[in-house]
Amino acid sequence: MTTQASGDALVSLNGVNKHYGQLHVLKDINLQVQKGEVVVVIGPSGSGKSTLCRAINRLETIDDGDIAIDGKKLPEEGKDLAHLRADVGMVFQSFNLFAHKTILENVTLGPIKVKKVAKGTADKEAMALLERVGVGHQAPKLPAQLSGGQQQRVAIARALAMKPKVMLFDEPTSALDPEMINEVLDVMIQLAKEGMTMIVVTHEMGFARKAADRVVFMADGQIVEDATPEEFFTNPKSTRAKDFLSKLLTH
Amino acid sequence: MDAVIASLPEYWDGFLRTLYLSVISGIIALIVGTLLAAMRVSPVAALRGFSMFYVEVARNTPLTIIFFFAAIVLPRLGVKFEQFEVAAIIALSSYTAAFIAEAVRSGVNSVPVGQAEAARSVGMTFTQVLGFIVLPQAVRTVIPPLINILIALVKNSSVAGAFFVLELFGYGRQLSNDYGNQVLWILLGVAFFYLLITVPLGLLAHFVERKVAIAR
């Protein structure tokens, strides 16, 4: 599934460029993600992976090029953008659970306010999701009372509650203690198995090997390689990727 | 002292009018100030510009001049009102709204940006993000400066006394003339009635601050 063709990609980026002042953070990015595909984006820090991820639901604006979700171009600010974001789940490095809401409310707020789902239905669905990610018994607590791993699993449930077409993960395990990383990755692997379309920015090579359909390697704002995990990890083509992988393997 | 006791009905009338001016202006200023703060953080450049312009003009102009505009210039421009209280409320609320806007804006900025990003990511519109996620969390940091501003508003309402409104300070001036030999007592009486409003406000601030403090 390494082909870049087809106009019916679920997420499609064409000629995307972005600058932070002098810094050219995204250089002519082209990326197509098909329905059900799990794409893992890796690369050294500062390579633009997070910016890429955040640009897909317009948390970062782009200078030129275009981004489309399910055939629809990302709108400018406003109601249309909000509608489109409802279809794109986002999981952040720092969880970003709503600090003044309970765990249950964190998950139900989107469905109730954005999709106008009745509270009873939303509660029931949210509880099922919380059970699924293993934090059902934490429902009445506030986010600050949960561990990082638990908070991140709630954040995944919150995104899933909107029944998104695609899930974006922006370094979901980078802020976690080592022993909590696996509980989050397990949920993500499960999600991948169920056929969710996912774009995952991560440093977890194990996850990339296990769950990814494709690995996209970024360096200096460019996509340097785009290959299957097998191909990428055993036989990287570019020197940048070889260099990056050799540094990982020395530890 | 007996002048104060003899004038209790006037004091009471003035106290009620001061309270009335403060409460009405305070409510209007809270609403307008919050709207101004929302405009200031909105994605629409024109709204941001308007809010910034308004706040800078209103908070950097002496209150007396704003009163002068409301009480004397506005009627000449065709804005008619029956009582000068209306002019006082216009002046006090438009002046105070600028300070409230700044306090609310700083509160909004105190909420981590990730909270708004997460809310936008689930598909909330700008007003929903502000109303459901950012403002409820901003309230916690905004309460103390807001109460300060409201205390200042109560005291600022004394300027109305110079613009034909018989509130506490207006009566104070009148009574000082009537009892020329007891001016000190008369003014102490005026101060006492102001404290009757402002001290409870301060206590309320302490109470609310403890009530809304929450772990992040």
Side-chain angles (χ1 to χ4, degrees), chain B residues 23-95:
Chain B
V23 169
I24 301 289
S25 309
I27 291 170
I28 297 175
L30 279 171
I31 295 168
V32 175
T34 307
L35 286 176
L36 284 166
M39 289 160 94
R40 185 68 184 272
V41 296
S42 88
V44 184
L47 293 179
R48 286 201 301 272
F50 170 79
S51 169
M52 195 151 52
F53 175 78
Y54 178 91
V55 167
E56 289 309 319
V57 169
R59 73 169 174 169
N60 291 317
T61 307
L63 179 59
T64 322
I65 293 179
I66 294 182
F67 259 93
F68 181 80
F69 266 91
I72 291 155
V73 179
L74 273 190
R76 293 198 180 185
L77 294 175
V79 184
K80 301 276 181 227
F81 31 75
E82 302 282 296
Q83 305 146 316
F84 278 104
E85 269 102 333
V86 178
I89 287 169
I90 292 172
L92 283 170
S93 49
S94 55
Y95 178 75

Side-chain angles (χ1 to χ4, degrees), chain A residues 54 57 59 77 82 85-86 88 90 92 96-100 109 113-114 144 158 162, chain B residues 43 114-115 117-125 128 132-133 136-137 140 214-216:
Chain A
R54 290 163 54 85
N57 70 350
L59 287 178
E77 275 322 308
R85 278 182 177 144
V88 181
M90 177 90 183
F92 299 86
N96 293 344
L97 293 182
F98 306 134
H100 61 309
L109 200 63
K113 300 299 183 191
V114 177
R158 173 177 68 182
M162 297 301 291
Chain B
Q115 294 285 311
E117 287 186 345
R120 282 151 69 196
S121 294
V122 294
M124 289 192 199
T125 60
Q128 288 178 321
F132 296 135
I133 305 301
Q137 294 187 61
R140 285 158 193 156
I214 226 157
R216 181 170 289 289

